[in-house]
Amino acid sequence: MDITREHIDELNAIVKVAINKDDYSDKVATVLNDYRKKANIPGFRKGHVPLGLVKKQYGKAVLVDEVNKLLQDALDKYLTEEKLDVLGNPLPKAQEDFNWDAEDFSFEFELGLAPEFEVTLKGKKAITQYHIVADDKMLNEQVERIQKQYGKLVSKDTVEEGDEITGTFTSEEKEIENKATFSLDKIKGKRNLNKFTDAKVGDVLELKTKSLFQDDHDLITFLKVSHDEAHDLDIAVSFKVEEINKREPAELNQELFDKLFPDGSVTSEEELRTKIKEDSEKQFEQQADQKLLNDITEYLVDSTKFDLPGEFLQKWIQQTGENPLTEDEAREEYEKSEKGLRYQLIEGKIIQENELQVNFDELKDFAKDFIKIQMAQFGQTNPSEEELDSIAARILSNQDEVKRLSEQLMSQKLLNLYKEKANLKTKEVTYEDFVKEVYQ
């Protein structure tokens, strides 16, 4: 067997594999002899079928199979030994005069080679790293929400601002009859609010669904219409008031603090606000980190210049997908995936140059931290190490979970590296300003 390589340019090469009879003949003979022992052919006892008959019936298929196995093994070994960084997979070149009846064979494969390039983490222009803080306005709203959530309902006869109303929406046109409870702040517009204000138990209000609620999606919840119907629903509905309640906010006392934090860590309103601030800003940090990761990814893709073997990759996409693609479809698919491919190459180089690795102990600790967060959401704030080890072992026995967690951990390592080495400027903002600046 002989393997040679011819470089077309820096990003494309042809590998030629020459296989002669001595490379495959013994393997083919062994397989055919095994077939001979096991073959059930009418007119012959098992194990006594003439070898010539077996060759005639199975010889070509066995030859093709064994040569392909030999070819694939040789190609894989060659790429590894030569340390060729290829994109996609080698593509076999069509040969019009190829003949499986010959004794010696020659195959050619197209290779797309990964480009050489340099990555600079510290760019000239600083990238904004947001530090999101929970301001007094947010803390006040959170405290009020908690007081309302844990407050008590007091029954009333007449609707006033801030009340909660229970009643039944009906519409003969749309066959609606649905009981719902909502607070008056869900209602949109002064005209609609006036219809509810001063209403009494037993009153029937005539309403229009269009612009009835601040959020049109509330029509799905309160009228039980479909998502598509809720979008432009404009019909008349009746609403019979059946119950009026005022929610009295809970007092900020130790009884409430213990409901919120059974471990006794909060004993005053000041400590409650500090706890809310810490928890909120921890959640905000995740959003700020994701924004930073997105911005650095954009910077790296835009600033790291290199060519790709685009023609080869389009051909590879066209030939290796689940369904065959036309040239135009393959080109479109390549254009959609090119940016992602560029970042994969850049990320791989950063990981290699900075020797970033994920070992099992790190992965186990990462999984346990993830489990603790999940358990805390269900009120289990102090799981034992034995519990965590048991759950982590079960999760890490699933290869899909191992892959997912490994990618998340590597992403975290990359983010830490970027924070250390990239050119960043810190900007402190409230969450409200962050949303306006980033998403609007």
Side-chain angles (χ1 to χ4, degrees):
M1 184 185 301
D2 185 37
I3 303 181
T4 58
R5 182 170 80 249
E6 174 189 346
H7 280 273
I8 308 302
D9 54 40
E10 291 182 352
L11 299 174
N12 296 275
I14 300 291
V15 169
K16 298 179 181 180
V17 184
I19 297 178
N20 58 48
K21 187 176 181 180
D22 291 340
D23 296 321
Y24 63 81
S25 57
D26 288 346
K27 290 184 174 64
V28 171
T30 299
V31 174
L32 289 175
N33 275 317
D34 191 48
Y35 274 31
R36 179 173 176 264
K37 294 174 185 176
K38 299 176 181 177
N40 284 314
I41 296 179
F44 298 95
R45 284 185 298 153
K46 188 175 181 180
H48 291 77
V49 180
L51 185 58
L53 185 59
V54 173
K55 284 183 179 180
K56 184 177 180 181
Q57 190 163 350
Y58 301 106
K60 181 66 67 66
V62 171
L63 170 68
V64 172
D65 190 42
E66 291 304 316
V67 168
N68 278 326
K69 286 180 185 176
L70 189 64
L71 180 63
Q72 191 61 56
D73 290 344
L75 194 57
D76 289 345
K77 184 179 179 183
Y78 177 79
L79 296 177
T80 302
E81 290 178 349
E82 294 293 311
K83 297 179 180 178
L84 291 176
D85 192 0
V86 299
L87 301 179
N89 294 314
L91 289 179
K93 290 191 70 176
Q95 295 173 267
E96 293 181 4
D97 58 346
F98 189 84
N99 182 13
W100 281 108
D101 292 325
E103 291 187 344
D104 298 333
F105 307 104
S106 179
F107 302 90
E108 294 185 2
F109 293 87
E110 296 179 61
L111 301 184
L113 305 177
E116 294 289 335
F117 58 90
E118 298 296 324
V119 179
T120 303
L121 285 178
K122 193 177 287 293
K124 292 180 181 179
K125 185 179 179 181
I127 297 171
T128 301
Q129 179 180 8
Y130 289 94
H131 174 55
I132 308 172
V133 296
D135 60 352
D136 287 340
K137 179 185 175 185
M138 171 173 278
L139 295 178
N140 291 339
E141 289 173 351
Q142 288 282 68
V143 171
E144 287 176 11
R145 182 187 60 78
I146 289 171
Q147 287 183 276
K148 188 175 180 181
Q149 180 182 347
Y150 287 87
K152 64 179 181 179
L153 292 176
V154 178
S155 180
K156 296 178 60 183
D157 295 323
T158 304
V159 177
E160 294 178 294
E161 183 179 350
D163 287 347
E164 291 184 9
I165 307 164
T166 298
T168 300
F169 285 102
T170 57
S171 165
E172 291 185 10
E173 178 186 347
K174 289 288 185 179
E175 297 182 348
I176 294 171
E177 185 170 354
N178 190 65
K179 190 169 184 176
T181 299
F182 52 90
S183 56
L184 210 56
D185 57 14
K186 292 278 187 182
I187 301 301
K188 182 177 181 179
K190 190 172 182 180
R191 184 176 179 182
N192 287 323
L193 282 170
N194 287 340
K195 291 185 178 182
F196 282 91
T197 303
D198 295 331
K200 295 179 170 52
V201 173
D203 286 354
V204 177
L205 312 180
E206 300 300 329
L207 306 166
K208 286 280 192 179
T209 55
K210 187 173 180 63
S211 299
L212 176 59
F213 293 105
Q214 301 280 1
D215 185 349
D216 285 341
H217 288 89
D218 283 339
L219 292 170
I220 302 171
T221 304
F222 300 138
L223 273 69
K224 287 292 184 285
V225 296
S226 70
H227 184 278
D228 291 340
E229 286 180 306
H231 182 62
D232 289 313
L233 189 65
D234 185 8
I235 61 169
V237 291
S238 297
F239 179 77
K240 183 176 182 179
V241 181
E242 297 167 0
E243 192 176 327
I244 305 167
N245 291 293
K246 182 179 180 64
R247 187 174 288 273
E248 292 187 351
E251 291 185 28
L252 295 174
N253 55 26
Q254 194 60 47
E255 181 183 356
L256 176 61
F257 302 150
D258 288 343
K259 286 179 182 177
L260 297 168
F261 302 97
D263 59 359
S265 59
V266 174
T267 59
S268 66
E269 181 180 348
E270 183 180 354
E271 289 179 354
L272 173 63
R273 293 172 71 89
T274 299
K275 193 79 171 175
I276 293 171
K277 183 177 176 67
E278 290 173 353
D279 291 346
S280 297
E281 291 181 355
K282 191 177 293 184
Q283 293 179 20
F284 297 157
E285 186 178 357
Q286 295 176 6
Q287 295 185 54
D289 282 349
Q290 187 59 56
K291 170 63 177 168
L292 178 61
L293 191 58
N294 292 344
D295 288 346
I296 291 179
T297 298
E298 290 287 338
Y299 154 72
L300 288 170
V301 171
D302 290 342
S303 64
T304 309
K305 305 298 183 182
F306 54 81
D307 293 325
L308 289 170
E311 188 175 329
F312 167 84
L313 290 170
Q314 289 175 47
K315 190 185 298 184
W316 178 69
I317 289 170
Q318 185 180 4
Q319 295 183 17
T320 59
E322 287 186 18
N323 300 309
L325 300 178
T326 65
E327 286 187 14
D328 288 342
E329 288 171 336
R331 187 184 305 111
E332 184 179 344
E333 195 64 33
Y334 170 70
E335 289 170 355
K336 287 193 291 187
S337 60
E338 182 183 358
K339 188 174 181 179
L341 174 58
R342 287 182 177 277
Y343 182 67
Q344 283 180 15
L345 291 171
I346 294 167
E347 185 183 82
K349 192 171 184 67
I350 293 171
I351 290 171
Q352 181 184 20
E353 289 182 345
N354 292 276
E355 298 180 346
L356 301 181
Q357 296 178 342
V358 172
N359 61 48
F360 181 77
D361 288 338
E362 288 177 321
L363 191 60
K364 183 179 178 182
D365 289 341
F366 186 73
K368 287 164 71 173
D369 288 341
F370 179 76
I371 294 163
K372 281 193 280 189
I373 293 171
Q374 294 291 309
M375 294 179 75
Q377 292 178 355
F378 294 94
Q380 295 174 269
T381 56
N382 194 27
S384 67
E385 280 299 309
E386 290 77 12
E387 282 182 287
L388 293 172
D389 285 336
S390 175
I391 298 171
R394 189 165 66 247
I395 289 174
L396 295 177
S397 67
N398 183 318
Q399 289 304 307
D400 290 337
E401 286 296 307
V402 170
K403 182 175 182 293
R404 183 178 66 84
L405 290 172
S406 296
E407 289 173 350
Q408 289 181 2
L409 180 53
M410 180 55 74
S411 181
Q412 186 62 54
K413 285 175 175 276
L414 284 165
L415 181 63
N416 292 338
L417 178 73
Y418 297 155
K419 286 181 178 180
E420 177 188 343
K421 295 191 174 183
N423 183 11
L424 305 179
K425 61 178 180 182
T426 301
K427 183 174 183 178
E428 186 173 290
V429 293
T430 65
Y431 182 71
E432 185 176 353
D433 288 339
F434 174 75
V435 171
K436 287 179 182 178
E437 189 167 327
V438 172
Y439 297 109
Q440 294 181 14

